Amino acid sequence: MDSLKKIVISGPESTGKSWLTKKLGEHFQVPFADEYARHYLEKNGSAYDFDTLEKIIIGHKSHQQKAIQRAENLVFLDTDLLNFKIWEELVFGKTHDFIEKEIEKENDHIYLLTYPDIPWESDPLRENPDNRLELFELSLDLIKKLNRPYQVVKGDFDDRFENALSALEAFH
């Protein structure tokens, strides 16, 4: 299990994270975890508060753990707690007390950070059409601050996939 590579597809909304997570998982024929927050909000309604985010974070961790347990060498994860930290700070100006400690536990994550160079797709659960570059920079800064390995993935969907494959080669 120590050799398990956990690749997190991270970045702002509407940058192809979910699509890329699924496509990479299918390409490599390995487990992947899609975005838990989307499932939760679709099931329970799009309104949320600070306490609701705690429930989503706990569900997210459990959801991803199921994919991790099925994986042998490689697993793809659609976002991780870095996204939640940024989300909480952006919306509420604070984070849950436990999030920093939980982020420390995810110190083996490797990041494919999606750049906001594809068109915004409207969606009832998406909130940030105008500040995707700012959110990208916040994600990049946090990944760098934590000294986690990363590669930025750009381009249209076909290029994004090919660039992700190339980026993964850099992690070998």
Side-chain angles (χ1 to χ4, degrees), residues 1-7 25 28-33 63-77:
M1 200 60 121
D2 292 334
S3 65
L4 177 62
K5 286 191 178 180
K6 299 172 188 166
I7 309 296
F28 288 102
Q29 298 181 334
V30 297
F32 63 92
H63 180 70
Q64 288 195 336
Q65 195 57 40
K66 291 174 187 169
I68 290 167
Q69 288 172 345
R70 291 191 326 269
E72 292 179 24
N73 300 311
L74 181 64
V75 64
F76 292 97
L77 308 172

Side-chain angles (χ1 to χ4, degrees), residues 6-70:
K6 299 172 188 166
I7 309 296
V8 178
I9 316 305
S10 190
E13 293 175 323
S14 193
T15 56
K17 294 184 305 292
S18 298
W19 173 84
L20 189 56
T21 301
K22 182 176 191 254
K23 182 123 173 130
L24 288 168
E26 290 172 349
H27 175 81
F28 288 102
Q29 298 181 334
V30 297
F32 63 92
D34 54 2
E35 183 186 10
Y36 178 79
R38 175 165 288 280
H39 293 296
Y40 182 94
L41 294 171
E42 285 175 344
K43 180 180 177 185
N44 297 290
S46 60
Y48 63 89
D49 58 20
F50 193 66
D51 292 334
T52 304
L53 270 183
E54 182 174 2
K55 291 177 191 172
I56 294 172
I57 291 168
I58 292 166
H60 165 87
K61 292 282 292 173
S62 174
H63 180 70
Q64 288 195 336
Q65 195 57 40
K66 291 174 187 169
I68 290 167
Q69 288 172 345
R70 291 191 326 269

Side-chain angles (χ1 to χ4, degrees), residues 54-114:
E54 182 174 2
K55 291 177 191 172
I56 294 172
I57 291 168
I58 292 166
H60 165 87
K61 292 282 292 173
S62 174
H63 180 70
Q64 288 195 336
Q65 195 57 40
K66 291 174 187 169
I68 290 167
Q69 288 172 345
R70 291 191 326 269
E72 292 179 24
N73 300 311
L74 181 64
V75 64
F76 292 97
L77 308 172
D78 186 345
T79 74
D80 70 356
L81 293 182
L82 298 188
N83 285 70
F84 282 97
K85 177 179 172 54
I86 291 167
W87 184 8
E88 288 185 327
E89 288 174 349
L90 183 71
V91 176
F92 299 106
K94 61 182 180 177
T95 60
H96 285 92
D97 294 337
F98 64 86
I99 202 153
E100 295 292 337
K101 191 177 287 184
E102 291 299 313
I103 285 173
E104 287 288 321
K105 293 178 187 175
E106 295 182 342
N107 64 2
D108 59 348
H109 288 182
I110 298 168
Y111 294 86
L112 293 178
L113 184 59
T114 54

Side-chain angles (χ1 to χ4, degrees), residues 150-165:
Y150 75 94
Q151 292 285 326
V152 175
V153 179
K154 296 181 176 183
D156 66 22
F157 283 97
D158 289 337
D159 288 342
R160 194 163 290 247
F161 177 68
E162 292 302 321
N163 291 337
L165 292 177

